[in-house]
Amino acid sequence: MSSVRVETHDDGSSYTQILFRVVNPQTGKKTVQTSESFVDHGAALAWKAILDKVGPDKAREILASEKAARAAKVVTLRTFAPTYLKSLTGKQKGTTDKYLSYFENDIYPYMGDLPLIMLCEADAEKNSIVQDWVSDMEADGSAGKTIANKHGVLSACLKLAVRRRLMPWNPCEDSDLPPRTYEPTFLEPEEFDRLLELTPERWKPTVRFLVLSGCRWSEYTALRKRNVIRDREHESDWLCRIARAWKYTGTAEQLLGDPKSKAGIRTINVPSEGLDGFDLGTLKANDLIVSTEAGGRISSQLFHNKCWRPLVLKFEAEVGKKPRPHDLRHTCASWMINNGAELTDVQRHLGHEKITTTVDLYGHFDRRSGRRASTAVSKALVRTTVGEAAA
């Protein structure tokens, strides 16, 4: 016969256990005690009655069937999102493919298998799952506009779910979104030195290379040994051929493709120190210069979790700046300009398709044009003053 025991979770909520004995599967003879737990006390007592009547094996079969039936009725975000995507009319295929990529790459991994109703729940600080998702994207360095775009797609999907009465309200409506614009963080050389000191040893070569090369993360993690050679004319430099980058395919899988633009295909000079810490001598020509232990791509999420997040917490407490990994690229550009490089040099080095992009981001570092303007105005002022004195 079975027995009933009521237990309490650490959070104070209670649950009911039905205890019973089954034949030991190892010996096939002696019985051992086991149990099934229920959140609903009435459901526990109902199953106990079935157990006592038909025995453990049959009772467990019935319980499994009931759980499967309940699960089939639960609508999760993953099962509902295709309905939303099919409801879109007047959208070009490229747009719907982009929305699908948002779900598969950014939304499903975080909350895809949760029932829709659970998205309306909040923790003790009144933060919903959606708000936590937004906060994590911001912590990962996503631009405010990018977060707003992905949040907007999720909100439209949940709005349809509310209309179909699958959830009581849309949790996206209460989200606190970051600003849509982001001001780049530029590090002074001594600030970067401190950042590098705080960086775990495994990641020092990565952080150093990113600031000395100005590469995008997707370009850096796609570099293979054959893309990196010594500059025969200037042996203190390495030549890095940027020709491939990791690209989203519209699924969770990522493949190598072209860089962000045609101008992104380029060969850049990187100071010798930029390759310090890379054991290129042990790599084959087609090996990635930085990889997981299995030789695969290092994802930005892995870098953020293992290195950047804890690193920036310490750095911000000391220096007062909170850079993103992409800010190492901005820092590289500022160092080039401050040490005499022309804006067109920076454009080619970073792979900007238009010079206006370079000017908009970094033009304020190039004070030469400002000084020329000031000198011209000064000369005009001198002529004016001389003219007034003569009169």
Side-chain angles (χ1 to χ4, degrees), residues 66 124-125 170 179 265 282 305 335 352 359:
E66 290 178 349
E125 297 179 355
N170 185 353
I265 301 175
T282 64
N305 292 340
W335 289 359
H352 288 161
V359 172

Side-chain angles (χ1 to χ4, degrees), residues 294-332:
R297 177 184 66 92
I298 290 184
S299 67
S300 58
Q301 183 178 6
L302 173 64
F303 177 63
H304 275 286
N305 292 340
K306 298 297 183 181
C307 172
W308 199 256
R309 278 199 187 113
L311 165 63
V312 169
L313 283 175
K314 298 176 185 177
F315 183 75
E316 184 182 18
E318 288 190 24
V319 180
K321 291 184 177 181
K322 188 179 180 181
R324 305 171 303 166
H326 197 74
D327 287 321
L328 297 178
R329 175 175 165 87
H330 294 317
T331 296
C332 175

